Amino acid sequence: MKAGTREAPVGDTAMELVGDQDIIIARAFRAPARLIYEAWTKPEFVRRWWAPKSHGVELAECTADVRVGGEYRYLMRRGEDEYGFRGTYQELTPHTKLVYTQIFEPFPDAAVLVTVTLAEVGGLTHLVSHERYPSPEARAGALEAGMEHGMRETMDQLDALLASLT
Amino acid sequence: MIETFAALAEPNRFRIVELLRAGPRPVGEIGAHLELRQPQVSKHLKVLKSAGLVDVEARAQQRLYGLRPEPLVALAAWLERYRSLWDARFDALDELPEELKGEDENEGRDA
């Protein structure tokens, strides 16, 4: 699976390691590209999906200045632990492409370059997120620190969120 | 984990691991199959052995190199943790209410 391919699955997430520094993540959504683009950038939407409660994290801070050169910061909190992600937008093409850096704050020297592309075809939006890590070690190690806890899925919190919004 | 990645990152080592998935082989066969000189194969096998990806077994008068599954299983588990984090995020993204999809087109435009 290469970036830009239209093979992203619906309802399930495909992931692939490419070379020794890249990770590609893909999924297709039954929603217009505009909605996915906005959900990816507007803090009021990011809050609703970026820190899954099933992973025991909440977003303590979520800010974004969505323009080229603008910065964003998402601060995740789990109990007494806090860890943040921040970065700068480098390219923004509504609603088909975003390019931004992503720094996991415990490892400030390992900025990742993320390129997100959205391709809307027949009611489906195919999203591909291409993460380019600064080194093989960064790819292997930098993200492990944030994912020590269990990864079991629960949909209960999502059901509750839906119920509260409708 | 990093050792596993580093060991697999070299193309010929990756090819050796792929070859050994079908079963253990002696050094000579690995070289012949992949068209590599024996010293090169031995050098790569040393790295793979040090990363815990291959093991040597003596069979009759041959030394056979075979895959050890543990590092690959650990790698798969690491990948799955990251994948399922994104899967959980995308599940939540999937569930953004229908009414948001009907917002005025103009509200979505950037200056």
Side-chain angles (χ1 to χ4, degrees):
Chain A
M1 171 189 30
K2 303 189 192 92
T5 191
R6 291 173 181 184
E7 292 164 18
V10 177
D12 192 19
T13 304
M15 183 169 117
E16 186 178 337
L17 300 193
V18 175
D20 57 8
Q21 284 173 235
D22 296 36
I23 297 176
I24 298 185
I25 294 151
R27 180 150 160 169
F29 297 88
R30 287 197 180 91
R34 178 182 61 80
L35 177 66
I36 305 300
Y37 187 96
E38 290 183 0
W40 209 269
T41 50
K42 289 187 174 173
E44 63 265 34
F45 295 159
V46 172
R47 286 186 168 282
R48 295 184 186 179
W49 64 272
W50 208 80
K53 293 215 175 68
S54 62
H55 291 231
V57 291
E58 55 171 314
L59 270 177
E61 176 188 322
C62 184
T63 57
D65 177 15
V66 188
R67 57 180 179 86
V68 175
E71 294 189 353
Y72 68 89
R73 186 173 188 237
Y74 310 151
L75 183 65
M76 300 220 271
R77 181 179 295 144
R78 189 174 130 249
E80 287 177 8
D81 292 330
E82 279 189 358
Y83 46 97
F85 289 85
R86 62 181 169 82
T88 307
Y89 297 104
Q90 307 208 330
E91 258 184 70
L92 292 168
T93 308
H95 304 110
T96 57
K97 187 174 181 185
L98 306 94
V99 181
Y100 51 90
T101 56
Q102 181 177 89
I103 293 165
F104 181 46
E105 290 176 345
F107 295 89
D109 299 325
V112 180
L113 188 67
V114 184
T115 301
V116 177
T117 54
L118 304 173
E120 187 170 340
V121 180
L124 288 183
T125 294
H126 297 259
L127 177 146
V128 178
S129 174
H130 185 142
E131 303 177 347
R132 162 63 58 86
Y133 287 76
S135 69
E137 293 73 23
R139 183 178 75 173
L143 295 176
E144 280 197 68
M147 290 183 283
E148 291 149 11
H149 48 282
M151 308 289 280
R152 285 199 316 114
E153 306 289 335
T154 94
M155 299 300 287
D156 295 345
Q157 288 90 352
L158 294 173
D159 284 343
L161 171 68
L162 269 182
S164 72
L165 290 169
T166 54
Chain B
M1 181 67 60
I2 293 172
E3 259 199 323
T4 304
F5 277 118
L8 291 172
E10 204 281 334
N12 285 322
R13 288 200 290 269
F14 188 83
R15 292 167 69 211
I16 291 172
V17 167
E18 289 284 275
L19 179 68
L20 295 180
R21 284 171 73 174
R25 289 179 185 250
V27 175
E29 264 188 45
I30 296 172
H33 202 97
L34 299 179
E35 294 179 345
L36 297 170
R37 294 169 175 274
Q38 176 144 342
Q40 241 189 319
V41 176
S42 296
K43 183 187 78 174
H44 287 316
L45 286 172
K46 198 168 161 185
V47 172
L48 290 171
K49 188 156 183 287
S50 153
L53 278 160
V54 304
D55 228 335
V56 191
E57 58 174 280
R59 198 181 286 179
Q61 284 161 355
Q62 282 194 319
R63 288 161 59 84
L64 298 182
Y65 285 83
L67 276 189
R68 291 185 68 248
E70 290 84 348
L72 295 171
V73 169
L75 181 59
W78 177 84
L79 291 178
E80 179 52 28
R81 280 175 16 220
Y82 189 54
R83 192 198 70 81
S84 57
L85 169 64
W86 274 103
D87 204 37
R89 286 172 170 163
F90 288 153
D91 282 349
L93 185 50
D94 245 344
E95 299 293 336
L96 281 180
E98 286 294 324
E99 61 251 34
L100 294 180
K101 296 179 188 177
E103 274 180 9
D104 183 15
E105 186 77 14
N106 289 331
E107 284 184 28
R109 297 222 183 277
D110 294 310

Coordinates of all heavy atoms in Angstrom, one line a residue, chain A residues 12-13 15 17 20 23 25 27 29-31 34-35 38-40 45 48-50 52 55 94-95 127 131 133 137 139-140 143-144 147 151 153 158 162 165, chain B residues 1-2 5-6 9 75 78-105 107-110:
Chain A
D12 N -12.0 -0.3 9.2 CA -10.8 -1.0 9.8 C -9.6 -0.2 9.4 O -9.5 0.4 8.3 CB -10.7 -2.4 9.4 CG -9.7 -3.2 10.2 OD1 -9.4 -2.8 11.3 OD2 -9.3 -4.3 9.8
T13 N -8.5 -0.3 10.2 CA -7.4 0.6 9.9 C -6.2 -0.3 9.4 O -5.9 -1.3 10.0 CB -6.9 1.2 11.2 OG1 -8.0 2.0 11.7 CG2 -5.7 2.2 11.0
M15 N -2.3 -0.6 8.3 CA -1.0 0.0 8.7 C 0.1 -0.8 8.1 O 0.1 -2.0 8.0 CB -0.8 0.0 10.2 CG 0.4 0.7 10.7 SD 0.4 1.0 12.4 CE 1.8 0.0 12.9
L17 N 4.6 -0.7 7.6 CA 5.9 0.0 7.7 C 6.6 0.0 6.3 O 6.5 -1.0 5.6 CB 6.8 -0.8 8.6 CG 6.4 -1.0 10.1 CD1 7.6 -1.6 10.9 CD2 5.9 0.2 10.7
D20 N 12.8 1.9 6.4 CA 13.1 1.8 7.9 C 12.8 3.1 8.6 O 13.1 3.2 9.8 CB 14.6 1.5 8.1 CG 15.6 2.5 7.4 OD1 15.1 3.5 6.9 OD2 16.8 2.2 7.4
I23 N 5.9 5.0 8.5 CA 4.7 4.3 8.8 C 3.6 4.9 8.0 O 3.4 6.1 7.9 CB 4.3 4.4 10.3 CG1 5.5 3.7 11.2 CG2 3.0 3.6 10.5 CD1 5.2 3.9 12.7
I25 N -0.6 4.7 7.5 CA -1.9 4.3 8.1 C -3.0 4.7 7.2 O -3.0 5.8 6.7 CB -2.0 5.0 9.5 CG1 -0.9 4.5 10.5 CG2 -3.4 4.8 10.1 CD1 -0.5 5.6 11.5
R27 N -7.4 4.4 6.1 CA -8.7 3.9 6.4 C -9.7 4.7 5.5 O -9.4 5.9 5.2 CB -9.1 4.2 7.9 CG -10.5 3.8 8.3 CD -10.5 3.3 9.7 NE -11.8 3.4 10.3 CZ -12.1 2.9 11.5 NH1 -11.2 2.3 12.2 NH2 -13.3 2.9 12.0
F29 N -13.6 6.3 5.1 CA -14.7 6.7 5.9 C -15.9 7.0 5.0 O -15.8 7.5 3.8 CB -14.3 8.0 6.6 CG -13.2 7.9 7.6 CD1 -11.9 8.0 7.2 CD2 -13.5 7.6 8.9 CE1 -10.8 7.9 8.1 CE2 -12.4 7.4 9.8 CZ -11.1 7.6 9.4
R30 N -17.1 6.7 5.5 CA -18.3 7.1 4.8 C -18.7 8.5 5.2 O -19.7 8.7 5.9 CB -19.4 6.1 5.1 CG -19.2 4.7 4.5 CD -20.5 3.9 4.5 NE -20.2 2.6 3.9 CZ -19.8 1.5 4.5 NH1 -19.7 1.5 5.8 NH2 -19.5 0.4 3.9
A31 N -17.9 9.4 4.7 CA -18.1 10.8 5.0 C -17.4 11.7 4.0 O -16.4 11.2 3.4 CB -17.6 11.1 6.4
R34 N -14.4 16.9 3.3 CA -14.4 18.1 4.1 C -14.6 17.9 5.6 O -13.9 18.5 6.4 CB -15.6 19.0 3.5 CG -15.8 20.3 4.3 CD -16.9 21.1 3.8 NE -18.2 20.4 3.9 CZ -18.9 20.3 5.0 NH1 -18.5 20.9 6.1 NH2 -20.1 19.7 5.0
L35 N -15.5 16.9 5.9 CA -15.7 16.6 7.3 C -14.5 16.0 7.9 O -14.1 16.4 9.1 CB -16.9 15.7 7.4 CG -17.2 15.2 8.9 CD1 -17.6 16.4 9.7 CD2 -18.2 14.1 8.9
E38 N -11.9 18.7 8.5 CA -12.2 19.6 9.6 C -12.0 18.8 10.9 O -11.5 19.4 11.9 CB -13.7 20.1 9.5 CG -13.8 21.1 8.4 CD -15.2 21.7 8.3 OE1 -16.1 21.3 9.1 OE2 -15.4 22.5 7.4
A39 N -12.4 17.5 11.0 CA -12.2 16.7 12.2 C -10.8 16.6 12.5 O -10.4 16.5 13.7 CB -12.8 15.4 12.0
W40 N -9.9 16.7 11.5 CA -8.5 16.5 11.7 C -7.8 17.8 12.2 O -6.7 17.7 12.8 CB -7.8 16.1 10.4 CG -6.6 15.3 10.5 CD1 -5.3 15.7 10.6 CD2 -6.5 13.9 10.6 NE1 -4.4 14.7 10.8 CE2 -5.1 13.5 10.7 CE3 -7.4 12.8 10.6 CZ2 -4.7 12.2 10.8 CZ3 -7.0 11.5 10.7 CH2 -5.6 11.2 10.8
F45 N -13.4 19.4 17.2 CA -13.6 18.0 16.7 C -12.5 17.1 17.1 O -12.7 15.9 17.4 CB -13.7 18.1 15.1 CG -14.9 18.8 14.6 CD1 -14.9 19.3 13.3 CD2 -16.0 19.0 15.4 CE1 -16.0 20.0 12.8 CE2 -17.1 19.7 14.9 CZ -17.1 20.2 13.6
R48 N -12.8 15.1 20.1 CA -13.8 14.0 20.2 C -13.3 12.7 19.8 O -13.9 11.7 19.9 CB -15.0 14.3 19.3 CG -15.8 15.5 19.8 CD -17.0 15.7 19.0 NE -17.7 17.0 19.3 CZ -18.8 17.4 18.7 NH1 -19.3 16.7 17.7 NH2 -19.4 18.5 19.1
W49 N -12.0 12.7 19.2 CA -11.6 11.4 18.7 C -10.1 11.1 18.9 O -9.7 9.9 18.9 CB -11.9 11.2 17.2 CG -11.2 12.2 16.3 CD1 -11.6 13.4 15.9 CD2 -9.9 12.0 15.6 NE1 -10.7 14.0 15.1 CE2 -9.7 13.2 14.9 CE3 -9.0 11.0 15.6 CZ2 -8.5 13.4 14.1 CZ3 -7.8 11.2 14.9 CH2 -7.6 12.3 14.1
W50 N -9.3 12.1 19.2 CA -7.9 11.9 19.1 C -7.3 11.2 20.4 O -6.3 10.5 20.3 CB -7.2 13.3 19.0 CG -5.9 13.2 18.3 CD1 -5.6 13.1 17.0 CD2 -4.6 13.1 18.9 NE1 -4.3 12.9 16.7 CE2 -3.6 13.0 17.9 CE3 -4.2 13.1 20.3 CZ2 -2.3 12.9 18.2 CZ3 -2.8 13.1 20.5 CH2 -1.9 12.9 19.5
P52 N -8.6 8.4 22.6 CA -9.6 7.4 22.8 C -9.7 7.0 24.3 O -8.7 6.7 24.9 CB -9.3 6.2 22.0 CG -8.0 6.4 21.4 CD -7.5 7.8 21.8
H55 N -8.4 4.0 25.8 CA -7.0 3.9 26.2 C -6.7 4.6 27.5 O -5.5 4.8 27.8 CB -6.1 4.5 25.0 CG -6.1 3.6 23.8 ND1 -5.0 3.2 23.2 CD2 -7.2 3.0 23.2 CE1 -5.4 2.4 22.2 NE2 -6.7 2.3 22.2
P94 N -7.2 22.5 1.7 CA -8.5 22.0 2.0 C -9.2 21.5 0.7 O -9.1 22.1 -0.3 CB -9.3 23.2 2.5 CG -8.2 24.2 2.8 CD -7.1 23.9 2.0
H95 N -9.8 20.3 0.7 CA -9.8 19.3 1.8 C -9.1 18.1 1.4 O -9.6 17.0 1.5 CB -11.3 19.1 2.2 CG -12.0 20.3 2.5 ND1 -13.0 20.9 1.7 CD2 -11.9 21.2 3.5 CE1 -13.5 22.0 2.3 NE2 -12.8 22.2 3.4
L127 N -8.5 8.0 3.5 CA -7.5 8.8 4.2 C -6.2 8.0 4.3 O -6.2 6.8 4.6 CB -8.0 9.1 5.6 CG -7.0 9.9 6.5 CD1 -7.8 10.8 7.4 CD2 -6.1 8.9 7.3
E131 N 3.7 8.8 7.8 CA 4.6 9.4 8.9 C 6.0 9.1 8.5 O 6.4 7.9 8.4 CB 4.2 8.8 10.2 CG 2.8 9.0 10.6 CD 2.4 8.3 12.0 OE1 3.2 7.5 12.4 OE2 1.3 8.6 12.5
Y133 N 9.7 9.3 9.9 CA 10.4 9.5 11.2 C 11.9 9.9 10.9 O 12.4 9.5 9.8 CB 10.4 8.2 12.0 CG 9.1 7.9 12.6 CD1 8.0 7.5 11.9 CD2 8.8 8.3 14.0 CE1 6.7 7.3 12.4 CE2 7.6 8.1 14.5 CZ 6.5 7.6 13.7 OH 5.3 7.5 14.3
E137 N 15.5 4.4 14.6 CA 15.3 4.3 16.1 C 14.2 5.2 16.6 O 13.4 4.7 17.5 CB 16.6 4.8 16.8 CG 17.8 4.0 16.6 CD 18.4 4.1 15.2 OE1 18.2 5.1 14.5 OE2 19.1 3.1 14.8
R139 N 11.5 5.8 14.8 CA 10.3 5.1 14.5 C 10.0 4.0 15.5 O 8.9 3.8 16.0 CB 10.4 4.5 13.1 CG 9.1 3.8 12.7 CD 9.1 3.3 11.3 NE 10.0 2.1 11.2 CZ 10.1 1.4 10.0 NH1 9.4 1.7 9.0 NH2 10.8 0.3 10.0
A140 N 11.0 3.3 15.9 CA 10.9 2.1 16.8 C 10.6 2.6 18.2 O 9.8 2.0 18.9 CB 12.1 1.2 16.7
L143 N 7.4 6.3 19.9 CA 6.0 6.2 20.2 C 5.7 5.2 21.3 O 4.6 5.2 21.8 CB 5.2 6.0 18.9 CG 5.3 7.1 17.9 CD1 4.6 6.7 16.7 CD2 4.7 8.4 18.5
E144 N 6.6 4.3 21.6 CA 6.3 3.3 22.6 C 6.0 3.9 23.9 O 5.2 3.3 24.6 CB 7.5 2.3 22.7 CG 7.5 1.3 21.6 CD 8.4 0.1 22.0 OE1 8.1 -0.6 22.9 OE2 9.5 0.0 21.4
M147 N 2.4 4.3 24.9 CA 1.4 3.3 24.7 C 1.7 2.0 25.6 O 1.6 0.9 25.1 CB 1.5 2.9 23.2 CG 0.9 4.0 22.3 SD 0.9 3.5 20.6 CE 2.6 3.7 20.3
M151 N -4.6 -2.0 25.3 CA -5.2 -1.5 24.1 C -6.6 -2.1 23.8 O -7.0 -2.1 22.7 CB -4.3 -1.7 22.9 CG -2.9 -1.3 23.0 SD -2.7 0.5 23.1 CE -2.7 0.9 21.3
E153 N -10.3 -2.5 23.1 CA -11.4 -1.5 22.6 C -12.6 -1.6 23.5 O -13.0 -2.6 23.9 CB -11.8 -2.0 21.2 CG -10.6 -2.2 20.2 CD -10.0 -0.8 19.8 OE1 -10.8 0.2 19.9 OE2 -8.8 -0.8 19.5
L158 N -18.0 5.7 23.4 CA -18.4 6.3 22.1 C -19.9 6.3 22.1 O -20.5 7.3 21.6 CB -17.9 5.5 21.0 CG -16.4 5.5 20.8 CD1 -15.9 4.6 19.8 CD2 -15.9 6.9 20.5
L162 N -22.2 9.7 21.7 CA -23.2 9.9 20.6 C -24.5 10.3 21.3 O -25.2 11.2 20.8 CB -23.4 8.6 19.9 CG -22.6 8.4 18.6 CD1 -22.9 7.0 18.0 CD2 -22.8 9.5 17.7
L165 N -24.8 13.8 22.2 CA -24.7 14.8 21.1 C -26.0 14.8 20.3 O -26.2 15.8 19.5 CB -23.5 14.5 20.2 CG -22.2 14.7 20.8 CD1 -21.1 14.2 19.9 CD2 -21.9 16.2 21.1
Chain B
M1 N 13.8 -4.4 20.3 CA 12.9 -4.0 19.2 C 13.7 -3.2 18.2 O 13.6 -3.5 17.0 CB 11.8 -3.0 19.8 CG 10.8 -2.5 18.8 SD 9.8 -3.8 18.1 CE 9.0 -4.4 19.6
I2 N 14.5 -2.3 18.6 CA 15.3 -1.5 17.7 C 16.3 -2.4 17.0 O 16.5 -2.3 15.8 CB 16.0 -0.3 18.4 CG1 15.0 0.7 18.9 CG2 17.0 0.4 17.5 CD1 15.6 1.7 19.8
F5 N 14.5 -4.1 14.2 CA 14.4 -3.2 13.0 C 15.7 -3.1 12.3 O 15.7 -3.1 11.1 CB 13.9 -1.9 13.5 CG 12.4 -1.8 13.7 CD1 11.9 -1.5 14.9 CD2 11.5 -1.9 12.6 CE1 10.5 -1.4 15.1 CE2 10.2 -1.8 12.8 CZ 9.6 -1.6 14.1
A6 N 16.8 -2.8 13.1 CA 18.1 -2.6 12.4 C 18.5 -3.8 11.6 O 19.0 -3.7 10.5 CB 19.1 -2.2 13.5
A9 N 16.5 -4.1 8.5 CA 16.5 -2.9 7.6 C 17.4 -3.1 6.4 O 17.3 -2.5 5.3 CB 16.9 -1.7 8.3
L75 N 7.7 -7.7 17.4 CA 7.5 -6.7 16.4 C 6.0 -6.6 16.0 O 5.5 -5.5 15.9 CB 8.4 -7.0 15.2 CG 8.4 -6.0 14.1 CD1 8.8 -4.6 14.6 CD2 9.3 -6.4 13.0
W78 N 4.1 -4.9 18.7 CA 4.3 -3.5 18.8 C 3.5 -2.8 17.7 O 2.9 -1.8 17.9 CB 5.8 -3.2 18.6 CG 6.1 -1.7 18.6 CD1 6.2 -0.9 19.7 CD2 6.2 -0.9 17.4 NE1 6.5 0.4 19.3 CE2 6.4 0.4 17.9 CE3 6.1 -1.1 16.1 CZ2 6.6 1.5 17.0 CZ3 6.3 -0.1 15.2 CH2 6.5 1.2 15.7
L79 N 3.6 -3.3 16.5 CA 2.8 -2.7 15.4 C 1.3 -2.7 15.7 O 0.7 -1.8 15.4 CB 3.1 -3.5 14.1 CG 4.5 -3.4 13.5 CD1 4.6 -4.3 12.3 CD2 4.9 -2.0 13.2
E80 N 0.9 -3.8 16.2 CA -0.6 -3.9 16.5 C -1.0 -2.9 17.5 O -2.1 -2.3 17.4 CB -0.9 -5.4 16.9 CG -2.4 -5.6 17.3 CD -3.4 -5.1 16.1 OE1 -3.0 -5.1 15.0 OE2 -4.5 -4.8 16.5
R81 N -0.2 -2.6 18.5 CA -0.5 -1.6 19.5 C -0.7 -0.2 18.9 O -1.7 0.5 19.2 CB 0.5 -1.5 20.6 CG 0.3 -2.6 21.6 CD 1.4 -2.8 22.7 NE 2.3 -1.7 22.9 CZ 3.5 -1.8 23.2 NH1 4.1 -3.0 23.2 NH2 4.3 -0.8 23.5
Y82 N 0.2 0.1 18.0 CA 0.1 1.4 17.3 C -1.1 1.4 16.4 O -1.9 2.4 16.3 CB 1.4 1.7 16.6 CG 1.5 3.1 16.1 CD1 1.3 4.2 16.9 CD2 1.8 3.4 14.8 CE1 1.3 5.5 16.5 CE2 1.8 4.7 14.3 CZ 1.6 5.7 15.1 OH 1.7 7.0 14.7
R83 N -1.3 0.3 15.6 CA -2.4 0.2 14.7 C -3.7 0.4 15.4 O -4.6 1.1 15.0 CB -2.3 -1.1 13.9 CG -3.3 -1.1 12.7 CD -3.6 -2.5 12.3 NE -4.4 -3.2 13.2 CZ -5.7 -3.1 13.3 NH1 -6.4 -2.4 12.5 NH2 -6.3 -3.8 14.3
S84 N -3.8 -0.3 16.6 CA -5.1 -0.3 17.3 C -5.4 1.1 18.0 O -6.5 1.4 18.2 CB -5.3 -1.5 18.2 OG -4.3 -1.5 19.1
L85 N -4.3 1.8 18.3 CA -4.5 3.2 18.8 C -5.2 4.0 17.7 O -6.2 4.7 17.9 CB -3.2 3.8 19.2 CG -3.2 5.3 19.5 CD1 -4.1 5.6 20.7 CD2 -1.8 5.8 19.7
W86 N -4.6 3.9 16.5 CA -5.2 4.6 15.3 C -6.6 4.1 15.0 O -7.5 4.9 14.7 CB -4.3 4.6 14.1 CG -3.3 5.7 14.2 CD1 -2.0 5.6 14.5 CD2 -3.6 7.1 14.0 NE1 -1.4 6.8 14.5 CE2 -2.4 7.8 14.2 CE3 -4.7 7.8 13.6 CZ2 -2.3 9.1 14.1 CZ3 -4.6 9.2 13.5 CH2 -3.4 9.8 13.7
D87 N -6.8 2.8 15.2 CA -8.1 2.2 14.9 C -9.2 2.8 15.9 O -10.3 3.1 15.5 CB -8.0 0.7 15.0 CG -9.1 0.0 14.2 OD1 -9.5 0.4 13.1 OD2 -9.6 -1.1 14.7
A88 N -8.8 2.9 17.1 CA -9.7 3.5 18.1 C -10.0 5.0 17.8 O -11.1 5.4 17.9 CB -9.1 3.4 19.5
R89 N -9.0 5.7 17.4 CA -9.2 7.1 17.0 C -10.2 7.2 15.8 O -11.1 8.0 15.8 CB -7.9 7.8 16.6 CG -7.0 8.1 17.7 CD -5.6 8.6 17.2 NE -4.9 9.1 18.3 CZ -3.5 9.3 18.3 NH1 -2.9 8.9 17.2 NH2 -2.9 9.8 19.3
F90 N -9.9 6.3 14.8 CA -10.7 6.4 13.6 C -12.2 5.9 13.9 O -13.1 6.3 13.3 CB -10.1 5.5 12.5 CG -8.9 6.2 11.8 CD1 -7.9 5.3 11.3 CD2 -8.7 7.5 11.8 CE1 -6.8 5.9 10.7 CE2 -7.6 8.1 11.2 CZ -6.6 7.3 10.7
D91 N -12.3 4.9 14.8 CA -13.7 4.5 15.2 C -14.4 5.7 15.8 O -15.6 5.9 15.4 CB -13.6 3.4 16.3 CG -13.3 2.1 15.7 OD1 -13.3 1.9 14.5 OD2 -13.0 1.1 16.5
A92 N -13.7 6.5 16.6 CA -14.4 7.7 17.2 C -14.7 8.7 16.1 O -15.7 9.3 16.1 CB -13.5 8.3 18.2
L93 N -13.8 8.9 15.1 CA -13.9 9.8 14.0 C -15.1 9.4 13.2 O -15.9 10.2 12.7 CB -12.7 9.8 13.2 CG -12.5 10.8 12.0 CD1 -12.9 12.2 12.4 CD2 -11.1 10.8 11.5
D94 N -15.3 8.1 13.0 CA -16.4 7.5 12.2 C -17.7 7.9 12.8 O -18.7 8.0 12.1 CB -16.3 6.0 12.3 CG -16.1 5.4 10.9 OD1 -16.3 6.1 9.9 OD2 -15.7 4.2 10.9
E95 N -17.7 8.1 14.2 CA -19.0 8.3 14.9 C -19.4 9.7 15.0 O -20.4 10.0 15.7 CB -18.9 7.6 16.2 CG -18.7 6.1 16.2 CD -19.8 5.3 15.6 OE1 -21.0 5.9 15.6 OE2 -19.6 4.3 15.0
L96 N -18.7 10.7 14.4 CA -19.1 12.1 14.5 C -20.5 12.2 14.0 O -20.8 11.6 12.9 CB -18.1 13.0 13.7 CG -16.8 13.3 14.4 CD1 -16.0 14.2 13.5 CD2 -17.0 14.0 15.7
P97 N -21.4 12.9 14.7 CA -22.8 12.8 14.3 C -23.1 13.2 12.9 O -22.4 14.1 12.4 CB -23.4 13.7 15.4 CG -22.4 14.0 16.3 CD -21.1 13.7 15.8
E98 N -24.1 12.6 12.4 CA -24.6 12.9 11.0 C -24.8 14.4 10.8 O -24.6 14.9 9.7 CB -25.8 12.1 10.7 CG -25.6 10.6 10.5 CD -24.8 10.3 9.3 OE1 -25.0 11.1 8.3 OE2 -24.0 9.4 9.3
E99 N -25.4 15.1 11.8 CA -25.7 16.5 11.5 C -24.5 17.3 11.2 O -24.6 18.3 10.5 CB -26.5 17.1 12.7 CG -25.7 17.2 14.0 CD -26.3 16.2 15.0 OE1 -26.8 15.1 14.6 OE2 -26.3 16.5 16.2
L100 N -23.3 16.9 11.6 CA -22.1 17.7 11.3 C -21.8 17.6 9.8 O -21.2 18.5 9.3 CB -20.9 17.2 12.1 CG -21.0 17.4 13.6 CD1 -19.7 16.9 14.3 CD2 -21.2 18.9 13.9
K101 N -22.3 16.5 9.2 CA -22.0 16.3 7.8 C -22.8 17.2 6.9 O -22.5 17.4 5.8 CB -22.2 14.9 7.4 CG -21.3 13.9 8.1 CD -21.7 12.5 7.7 CE -20.9 11.5 8.6 NZ -21.2 10.1 8.3
G102 N -23.9 17.8 7.5 CA -24.7 18.7 6.7 C -24.4 20.1 6.9 O -25.2 21.0 6.4
E103 N -23.3 20.5 7.5 CA -23.0 21.9 7.7 C -22.9 22.6 6.4 O -22.5 22.1 5.4 CB -21.7 22.0 8.5 CG -21.9 22.0 10.0 CD -20.6 22.1 10.7 OE1 -19.6 22.5 10.1 OE2 -20.6 21.9 11.9
D104 N -23.1 23.9 6.5 CA -23.0 24.8 5.3 C -21.6 24.7 4.7 O -20.6 24.8 5.4 CB -23.3 26.2 5.7 CG -23.3 27.2 4.6 OD1 -23.3 26.7 3.4 OD2 -23.2 28.4 4.8
E105 N -21.5 24.4 3.4 CA -20.2 24.3 2.8 C -19.3 25.5 3.0 O -18.1 25.3 3.2 CB -20.5 24.2 1.2 CG -19.3 23.8 0.4 CD -18.8 22.4 0.6 OE1 -19.6 21.6 1.0 OE2 -17.7 22.1 0.2
E107 N -18.9 27.3 5.6 CA -18.3 27.4 6.9 C -17.0 26.7 6.9 O -16.2 26.9 7.8 CB -19.2 26.8 8.0 CG -20.4 27.7 8.3 CD -21.2 27.2 9.5 OE1 -20.7 26.4 10.3 OE2 -22.4 27.5 9.5
G108 N -16.8 25.7 6.0 CA -15.6 24.9 6.0 C -14.5 25.6 5.3 O -13.4 25.1 5.3
R109 N -14.7 26.7 4.6 CA -13.6 27.2 3.8 C -12.6 28.0 4.6 O -13.0 28.7 5.6 CB -14.2 28.2 2.7 CG -15.2 27.6 1.8 CD -14.9 28.1 0.3 NE -15.9 27.5 -0.6 CZ -15.7 26.3 -1.1 NH1 -14.7 25.6 -0.9 NH2 -16.7 25.8 -1.9
D110 N -11.4 27.9 4.3 CA -10.4 28.6 5.0 C -10.1 29.9 4.2 O -10.3 30.0 3.0 CB -9.0 27.9 5.0 CG -9.2 26.6 5.9 OD1 -9.7 26.7 7.0 OD2 -8.8 25.6 5.4

